[in-house]
Amino acid sequence: MSASKKSLWHQTYRYVMLLSLLLTATFVQAHESSTAYLNLSTNEERAVSAEYEISLRDLALLIEIDPNKDSQVNWAEVKSQTALIEQLITSKIRLEGDAQQCQITEFSPLAINTRGGFNYLYTSFELKCEQPVDSLDYQILTGIDANHRLILTQASDDTPLQVLTVGQHSIGSEANNGWMSTVANFLKSGIHHLLIGWDHLLFLFVLLIPAVYMRKEKTLLAVPKPKAALLEVFWIATSFTLAHSITLTLAALQIISIPARFIESVIALSIAFAALNNLVPMLRVRAIYLAFVFGLIHGFGFANVLVDLPLATSERVLALLSFNIGIELGQLVFIIAVFPIALLLRHTQFYKWIIFYIGSLISILIALWWFFERAIQ
């Protein structure tokens, strides 16, 4: 074997191994958005009542609630772990007033609620605070799921809803500024949701990688000038944005409601189909049409973040606009990071075989795994 061929083989091997590592990492982090809910109310004696909800699939990452491993968690299994659940909440959800920690005085019996087609553990508890609550240290799923977020509401007309991540946060009314706080919260949430949404990013990836090619008969040819590819990406992004904005609006305003598990499963299938269409063109249509049709489905997935939030209509519209702008900014960041590389490498065999062919094949495997996780397990 010549030195040049050996070097090419080693380079290809390294990139295949890199793609395999990315595949493994994606498998580990591939599940639906992880959200918990905390509602606080305080009386004149500074006694705080708290209601907390966390999905059973998230709780299962922290406590053994399925001892027989049949993937069917029942009420008896959850109830048997009451002591551990209360211990978890006591140690991982800490409210403070003027740097003095509030003490949990009483837990109410556990219950199970349903949100978006998923089962949630519901619990309420009472706390005694020496000073008005102004800080929350939230550590549920710390080090386990970086995408986990908490929707915090407080029984006060002047304290807007907050979207929080794991960590320490100021939560008093002075930490918020009316509609500006809502805009900032949901703008950041939209950017975060897109950039940590592996399924949405993978869908954009399988649509973007063929944008630097044109098909002549059955042959892939690199576009001679970047302008054509840039226009294609512009129309793909515009089409995807328009489509998901439509369904995101319909779902977030609660005009149309579709179970989250169904939507997440169909999103996975949309990725598999788009990637397969790269390898074996089944639909002789431009990617912008695929982006629009499947973007309608992805919009319902984005809307899961907003559907169950306790917001008035005006607040919901403001949150929707801010969240949608955040999604577009996140999408733009991803395109800016990925597409220049595609343009630079479009004439190389590496791009053709490793990025386009093997990348599309791996995308199919990832998407089918997600479908299995979401629809069957």
Side-chain angles (χ1 to χ4, degrees):
M1 184 182 295
S2 66
S4 60
K5 288 184 177 180
K6 184 178 292 187
S7 175
L8 179 62
W9 187 90
H10 283 302
Q11 184 181 30
T12 301
Y13 174 77
R14 285 197 298 270
Y15 283 115
V16 169
M17 290 301 295
L18 176 60
L19 284 172
S20 299
L21 289 173
L22 289 175
L23 171 62
T24 302
T26 306
F27 277 168
V28 170
Q29 301 182 56
H31 64 87
E32 302 91 333
S33 299
S34 174
T35 304
Y37 301 83
L38 178 64
N39 180 58
L40 302 176
S41 58
T42 306
N43 64 20
E44 295 179 354
E45 298 176 353
R46 289 196 290 273
V48 178
S49 297
E51 297 174 302
Y52 180 66
E53 293 180 70
I54 184 172
S55 70
L56 293 186
R57 60 189 174 87
D58 285 338
L59 184 64
L61 299 175
L62 301 166
I63 294 174
E64 181 57 79
I65 56 174
D66 184 22
N68 58 7
K69 308 295 184 183
D70 62 354
S71 298
Q72 300 294 326
V73 178
N74 58 48
W75 171 238
E77 289 174 326
V78 174
K79 190 176 181 181
S80 68
Q81 300 295 345
T82 297
L84 285 177
I85 292 170
E86 293 179 354
Q87 181 181 344
L88 173 73
I89 291 172
T90 301
S91 62
K92 300 295 185 180
I93 303 177
R94 298 185 177 183
L95 293 164
E96 296 180 352
D98 195 20
Q100 297 182 51
Q101 183 175 335
C102 302
Q103 302 299 319
I104 295 179
T105 59
E106 180 183 2
F107 278 94
S108 297
L110 302 178
I112 291 181
N113 287 343
T114 300
R115 284 181 177 267
F118 295 99
N119 288 327
Y120 274 70
L121 172 79
Y122 170 89
T123 183
S124 61
F125 49 96
E126 303 293 326
L127 303 100
K128 181 64 177 178
C129 305
E130 297 299 327
Q131 300 293 331
V133 175
D134 58 15
S135 177
L136 167 66
D137 186 12
Y138 184 73
Q139 297 297 333
I140 296 288
L141 291 174
T142 181
I144 297 175
D145 185 356
N147 303 334
H148 181 68
R149 64 186 192 133
L150 177 72
I151 305 298
L152 173 67
T153 53
Q154 300 181 65
S156 171
D157 293 335
D158 60 352
T159 306
L161 172 150
Q162 290 180 266
V163 183
L164 307 177
T165 55
V166 172
Q168 184 117 15
H169 303 275
S170 296
I171 63 169
S173 58
E174 68 277 2
N176 304 282
N177 187 20
W179 67 270
M180 287 293 291
S181 175
T182 300
V183 170
N185 264 322
F186 285 96
L187 186 68
K188 291 187 292 184
S189 184
I191 296 172
H192 179 74
H193 187 74
L194 191 284
L195 294 181
I196 59 89
W198 286 91
D199 46 5
H200 304 302
L201 293 180
L202 191 60
F203 181 68
L204 287 173
F205 171 77
V206 298
L207 290 179
L208 289 176
I209 55 175
V212 295
Y213 285 136
M214 55 184 181
R215 290 187 184 271
K216 192 171 184 181
E217 297 178 350
K218 294 186 178 181
T219 305
L220 286 175
L221 299 175
V223 293
K225 295 182 179 180
K227 182 179 178 180
L230 288 170
L231 283 174
E232 181 73 0
V233 168
F234 171 79
W235 288 117
I236 288 172
T238 301
S239 181
F240 185 63
T241 295
L242 177 62
H244 75 63
S245 296
I246 293 171
T247 48
L248 170 59
T249 301
L250 292 174
L253 296 180
Q254 300 177 327
I255 298 172
I256 296 177
S257 178
I258 300 178
R261 185 178 293 276
F262 174 78
I263 289 298
E264 297 294 343
S265 301
V266 177
I267 286 175
L269 287 181
S270 74
I271 300 167
F273 182 86
L276 182 61
N277 199 60
N278 285 349
L279 302 178
V280 185
M282 296 168 286
L283 297 178
R284 298 288 181 174
V285 295
R286 291 175 61 189
I288 59 172
Y289 300 114
L290 289 178
F292 184 84
V293 172
F294 292 136
L296 293 172
I297 300 168
H298 284 246
F300 285 112
F302 291 137
N304 289 335
V305 175
L306 302 174
V307 167
D308 289 324
L309 301 185
L311 296 171
T313 301
S314 58
E315 294 175 313
R316 188 174 293 275
V317 170
L318 183 60
L320 170 63
L321 291 173
S322 305
F323 185 74
N324 203 31
I325 292 171
I327 288 175
E328 306 323 318
L329 292 175
Q331 179 178 289
L332 182 62
V333 168
F334 179 75
I335 292 173
I336 291 174
V338 171
F339 194 64
I341 299 174
L343 278 177
L344 289 173
L345 299 178
R346 69 187 189 278
H347 293 291
T348 66
Q349 291 297 306
F350 164 74
Y351 185 86
K352 180 178 181 179
W353 291 101
I354 304 300
I355 301 298
F356 184 78
Y357 283 121
I358 295 180
S360 295
L361 178 60
I362 289 179
S363 297
I364 293 171
L365 296 176
I366 293 173
L368 291 178
W369 175 261
W370 285 341
F371 177 76
F372 173 77
E373 272 194 326
R374 298 170 180 185
I376 299 175
Q377 285 191 342

